[in-house]
Every structure is written in structure tokens, then in C-alpha cells.
Amino acid sequence: MKRKLAGLVPAVLALALALAPLGAFAAGPKFQSATPSYTLPDTYSIIFDAAFADLTGDGRQDAVLIDLYKNELAIFKGNGDGTFQDPPSYQPVGAKPREIAVADFDKDGDLDLAISNSDSHNVSILLNRGDGTFDTQTFFAAGTYPMGLAESDFNGDGNADLAVVDTLSDQVSVLYGDGHGAFGAPVSFFCRTYSSLRRCRRLQQGRTNGSRRLQRLRFEYQRAAE
């Protein structure tokens, strides 16, 4: 299971917010002290999305953070007690990475990563070697300015697929997985906005009855000028 943060988050805050229990926010705008905190070394690092999953197979939650301006991932391996190994390892991805999806794309029992890259108009696939390190990324076309990203078995063949919001074309591209870590050409569907001032941006997904198959996609919008 993964827990995600999305949007522009200063690097020093991303893991501090993620480590605070959800109950800490229930009574109002109060924040729990987060010690230790983790900071990416570059002054211009901006965390755009984060995901938490067991990437090493040791039963501990690891953290993956997108550094929007460095075009890379920072991967913090978990210690199992709410802290992470510092410094992180780094993994290059495409231009202006936006969102993360975590799934076993090659069906080898390890969790892999997919990243939407808005400025290179593609998705990076990083296949896990089983120890939290990854093979060199492969790119798959994903329409115009892809941002929102969701993973599911859309066609019921047992393989993980991807849905990507192509923000500038107001479309959703579905990339069907082959179960070996590769994806077919995108199949596009219009994301109707009913207004020239709004753009499709992100996906929210839902499943029912514990199914691996996606039951619904809900779109989040932004003003076109943003």
C-alpha cells in the first residue's frame, strides 16, 4: 500500500508531513514535531509528489520523492521505525517529472515505478531489481504534457496498465502493460471539461470489493492559465 503527497512541497517538509500521523491534523491546523527531518541537498529542489511502498522486500516502507527541477527521484530506504536512511539514492527520470505510480509491472514480485514526465511527454518505467535499486529507465509515449497518473488492470488480463492525463490536449491516455515491464502505444479518450478555462490535471481512482480492477476514475481540474 502506498501513501501519496502531490503538488509543490518544499523538500524539507515532504517527509516531515508524511511521517506525522493522520490524527494529528484532525482537530485543526496543528503539526506534530517531526524528528528527524530530511532535506535534499540542492537549494532548488522542489518535491512535486511522493509515494511510500516497500521497494526492498524487507517489510519496511520506503519513500520515493519526485524532484521536479532536478528531473530525478530521491529514494529513502526505510528503517522500519518511522525513520529513513539518509542520504537517499537518486534515479534520473524524464523532463519535469510530475506523479508516481507503484506496481509490479513485470510480475516478478517486486514493486516497480512509473513516472509521468510533462515536458518530455512520456512516462518513465523503472523496473526494480528486488533490492530497491532500478534498471535504467525506459520511456513510453503518453500524449501532450502528461501529469496525472493511475495504475490498474484496465482490461482484465492480469497485467498492470497505466492511465495518464494529457493536460494540454484534455485527454486521458491508457497504456496497456504486457506483464514484462513494457507498454503499448497510448489509447486516448477525451476528458471533457465544458470550459476553455479549465484543464484536466489529476486522476483520483477507486476500487470496490478489493478488486485489482479499477472501478472509476475521477478527474481534478485546474484553470488553464495555471
Side-chain angles (χ1 to χ4, degrees):
M1 180 178 181
K2 67 174 181 175
R3 177 180 171 191
K4 288 191 68 175
L5 301 173
L8 292 173
V9 181
V12 71
L13 289 180
L15 285 184
L17 291 175
L19 289 173
L22 295 178
F25 305 102
K30 299 178 180 179
F31 292 87
Q32 168 180 298
S33 296
T35 303
S37 61
Y38 303 86
T39 305
L40 299 185
D42 196 295
T43 304
Y44 299 103
S45 291
I46 293 291
I47 303 306
F48 200 84
D49 194 18
F52 300 85
D54 179 9
L55 300 176
T56 58
D58 60 1
R60 302 170 180 175
Q61 291 290 295
D62 309 304
V64 184
L65 281 64
I66 283 180
D67 191 334
L68 177 67
Y69 292 143
K70 294 294 293 296
N71 298 327
E72 65 184 11
L73 305 180
I75 301 172
F76 291 83
K77 292 185 178 180
N79 294 318
D81 59 359
T83 66
F84 296 86
Q85 298 175 29
D86 197 10
S89 60
Y90 295 94
Q91 186 77 38
V93 288
K96 293 296 185 289
R98 298 290 181 166
E99 292 200 8
I100 305 170
V102 182
D104 185 4
F105 295 117
D106 56 0
K107 301 173 75 170
D108 64 353
D110 306 315
L111 291 175
D112 309 307
L113 302 176
I115 312 295
S116 57
N117 305 304
S118 63
D119 285 21
S120 51
H121 309 293
N122 55 25
V123 171
S124 296
I125 299 297
L126 292 87
L127 298 179
N128 195 339
R129 296 172 180 149
D131 58 358
T133 64
F134 296 85
D135 292 339
T136 302
Q137 65 183 324
T138 53
F139 294 109
F140 296 92
T144 306
Y145 207 78
M147 290 189 65
L149 186 64
E151 167 276 324
S152 185
D153 178 9
F154 292 111
N155 57 0
D157 64 355
N159 301 326
D161 309 311
L162 293 170
V164 191
V165 174
D166 303 326
T167 304
L168 294 186
S169 61
D170 289 330
Q171 293 183 334
V172 175
S173 292
V174 177
L175 285 69
Y176 294 105
D178 67 357
H180 301 286
F183 293 81
V187 179
S188 296
F189 304 89
F190 279 103
C191 168
R192 194 177 295 274
T193 63
Y194 301 102
S195 171
S196 62
L197 298 178
R198 305 176 77 195
R199 294 288 191 191
C200 296
R201 183 174 181 178
R202 290 198 176 97
L203 293 167
Q204 291 184 347
Q205 59 192 79
R207 296 182 175 89
T208 59
N209 301 323
S211 173
R212 271 267 308 137
R213 296 188 66 182
L214 196 66
Q215 304 298 323
R216 64 184 182 276
L217 287 175
R218 186 172 68 183
F219 302 100
E220 295 181 3
Y221 298 95
Q222 70 177 64
R223 293 185 63 85
E226 294 176 355

